[in-house]
Amino acid sequence: MKNRACFLAVLVALAYLCRGSVAVAQVLDVDGQVEYCRGQVERTLRELRGRDGKIDYTLTPRYVGAAEHHWNLRSVKRPDEWCAGFFPGILWMCADTLEARRFTQELEYLAYSPIYDHDLGFIMIGSYLKGWETTHDEHYREVLLAAADSLATLFNPRVGTLLSWPRNVAMFGGHNTIMDNMMNLELLFFSGKKENYDIAVCHADTTMKYQFRPDHTANHVAVYDPVTGRHLYNCTHQGFGDNTLWSRGQAWAIYGYTMVYRYTGEQRFLDFAQQVTEAYLSRLPDDGIPWWDMGDPMIPHSFRDASAAAIAASALVELAQYVETPVSECYMKEAKRMLITLSSADYQSREKNPAFLLHSVGNMPAGTEVDASINYADYYYLEALLRLKNYPQ
Ligand code: GLY
């Protein structure tokens, strides 16, 4: 009861926050932006066709660097290419079924190979799940079920979460779980198997318990003792510091808990999705695009992360459907604010390169894909636009 009362107070504060935010005066031309994305996809396919007119479907367009004008391609025949599913997903969303099928089928081997890490979820959700949603092709479902069973092998029942990076157990000194992993629970839920459902729910609950600060901001990495299951410590891998807020991690949490609520209908997940959303929205600059890390001491002379904004916008359009007014209106207003900025000349790639968006930060500590166009920013931007277009009236 006390928790519920606190939670309602948070909602009131959230509604107040939204009323006080910069007015969304501009109108978002959703159809026009979706058309823009389709045009950029055509450019990408032309670029991939090259001189001989043939596409190598084993190569995926991954990013365009800040000073570059063309996609850097990556082989999808390496299981560590975690971004391999996003371009097929973009093709499914653009209804280019022929090319989507060709890029998708190159990923099938991953469902039947020893698992590399949790990113199998990202890869299969972008490609096969989007493909299944479009075609209801039974073969796609079979591949997804095999992939889900493979992902489930990363679960440690003593800890209560999936191991995200098997290769980094020694480096972290234990079973590591990263916030991004919340996204991949969708593959387990989709499978419809009770064992997988229970794993996904347990992962979401354990992560909720140990991987957030009291103010509902996310830690990137949680480390657990793999034998006793004890939570050891939290830290960052891609953020500025262990005590700062890496924006994409918070965006994964918003999207992840909203998705978990979609599959479970459990009130605690909806409440938590709203709490992590409030923590994110209350830290945003006025234009709705977060700094890559909210605690970077270089702010305002630092980089924004369009990918985090696109993920959060897509999640907010879904979350708005699960709550009552005025909170739902607030979430829609915030999502539109983000999408209006992303759709502006400051953030769209337009003639600069064939991606949709500029200004994402992939991995700042590693110095890779900084201020770049990245395929997952494009994927969630298009998904957000389509969710907005199909929002129940
Ligand atoms: N899942 C990796 C990232 O968000 O960069």
Side-chain angles (χ1 to χ4, degrees):
M1 192 62 201
K2 193 170 161 234
N3 279 350
R4 190 80 196 148
C6 283
F7 181 64
L8 288 174
V10 167
L11 284 192
V12 171
L14 179 60
Y16 178 80
L17 171 89
C18 288
R19 275 199 301 274
S21 70
V22 169
V24 181
Q26 289 161 276
V27 175
L28 181 64
D29 171 14
V30 179
D31 289 333
Q33 303 318 324
V34 171
E35 268 318 298
Y36 160 75
C37 294
R38 286 187 206 276
Q40 293 297 84
V41 167
E42 281 308 312
R43 275 181 70 189
T44 294
L45 289 170
R46 273 200 300 281
E47 188 168 314
L48 295 179
R49 271 190 202 104
R51 289 217 184 99
D52 65 0
K54 293 200 183 106
I55 294 178
D56 180 347
Y57 295 99
T58 70
L59 297 176
T60 201
R62 163 127 178 193
Y63 77 98
V64 184
E68 297 175 329
H69 302 287
H70 302 285
W71 285 106
N72 288 277
L73 306 179
R74 291 281 185 267
S75 170
V76 303
K77 296 303 174 185
R78 292 182 50 146
D80 64 348
E81 183 41 66
W82 80 276
C83 296
F86 295 118
F87 188 63
I90 287 170
L91 290 167
W92 286 118
M93 286 189 273
C94 287
D96 188 342
T97 310
L98 191 67
E99 297 296 14
R101 273 192 188 280
R102 290 172 172 159
F103 278 99
T104 295
Q105 73 190 18
E106 295 296 338
L107 304 173
E108 185 164 325
Y109 78 102
L110 290 166
Y112 303 100
S113 308
I115 191 159
Y116 179 72
D117 70 14
H118 77 111
D119 286 327
L120 181 64
F122 277 111
I123 297 170
M124 290 294 157
I125 290 163
S127 56
Y128 277 87
L129 185 51
K130 283 273 190 257
W132 187 84
E133 285 166 357
T134 309
T135 63
H136 284 87
D137 182 333
E138 192 52 29
H139 176 65
Y140 286 179
R141 208 175 74 87
E142 281 164 21
V143 175
L144 287 163
L145 298 191
D149 286 348
S150 180
L151 182 64
T153 63
L154 294 177
F155 185 66
N156 180 331
R158 289 177 296 272
V159 172
T161 68
L162 298 166
L163 172 64
S164 299
W165 290 324
R167 65 189 174 284
N168 287 343
V169 168
M171 184 178 99
F172 286 112
H175 172 107
N176 57 78
T177 298
I178 66 171
M179 193 48 63
D180 326 25
N181 207 145
M182 282 300 302
M183 300 292 285
N184 297 325
L185 303 183
E186 183 160 13
L187 190 54
L188 301 179
F189 284 124
F190 173 83
S191 73
K193 278 174 79 168
K194 174 151 181 5
E195 303 89 301
N196 291 346
Y197 180 98
D198 290 346
I199 288 172
V201 169
C202 186
H203 181 112
D205 276 323
T206 308
T207 299
M208 194 196 296
K209 185 166 178 194
Y210 292 114
Q211 211 165 330
F212 289 85
R213 305 181 184 101
D215 62 1
H216 302 112
T217 59
N219 286 284
H220 187 198
V221 188
V223 181
Y224 302 87
D225 184 316
V227 178
T228 66
R230 195 164 62 89
H231 175 246
L232 299 176
Y233 68 99
N234 293 324
C235 63
T236 197
H237 189 64
Q238 279 166 253
F240 178 82
D242 291 342
N243 298 314
T244 63
L245 180 60
W246 177 52
S247 296
R248 195 162 57 253
Q250 193 75 15
W252 293 140
I254 297 169
Y255 194 121
Y257 280 98
T258 302
M259 176 273 298
V260 171
Y261 177 70
R262 184 202 318 152
Y263 282 97
T264 63
E266 295 282 350
Q267 185 65 38
R268 69 185 181 284
F269 294 128
L270 179 59
D271 291 352
F272 199 66
Q274 292 191 256
Q275 285 164 330
V276 295
T277 297
E278 148 70 359
Y280 179 86
L281 293 178
S282 66
R283 287 166 174 79
L284 279 184
D286 277 349
D287 62 7
I289 314 298
W291 300 101
W292 75 278
D293 188 300
M294 308 285 198
D296 179 355
M298 292 302 288
I299 292 171
H301 307 290
S302 185
F303 295 98
R304 303 295 188 96
D305 182 11
S307 76
I311 295 158
S314 186
L316 281 177
V317 180
E318 177 171 15
L319 188 56
Q321 297 175 43
Y322 303 145
V323 295
E324 305 291 332
T325 52
V327 179
S328 62
E329 282 164 14
C330 166
Y331 292 155
M332 289 300 277
K333 188 169 147 192
E334 293 294 331
K336 283 180 191 161
R337 179 163 69 121
M338 295 165 197
L339 290 170
I340 284 169
T341 308
L342 290 176
S343 302
S344 69
D346 286 345
Y347 278 90
Q348 283 190 336
S349 304
R350 302 189 182 175
E351 65 287 346
K352 293 191 187 85
N353 73 50
F356 305 162
L357 298 176
L358 304 166
H359 306 313
S360 290
V361 173
N363 190 335
M364 181 69 91
T368 53
E369 299 174 356
V370 174
D371 201 29
S373 296
I374 311 182
N375 66 5
Y376 49 86
D378 290 3
Y379 173 96
Y380 291 103
Y381 172 63
L382 180 54
E383 186 183 76
L385 290 170
L386 293 174
R387 283 180 170 184
L388 202 54
K389 190 173 154 72
N390 298 321
Y391 192 77
Q393 295 305 320

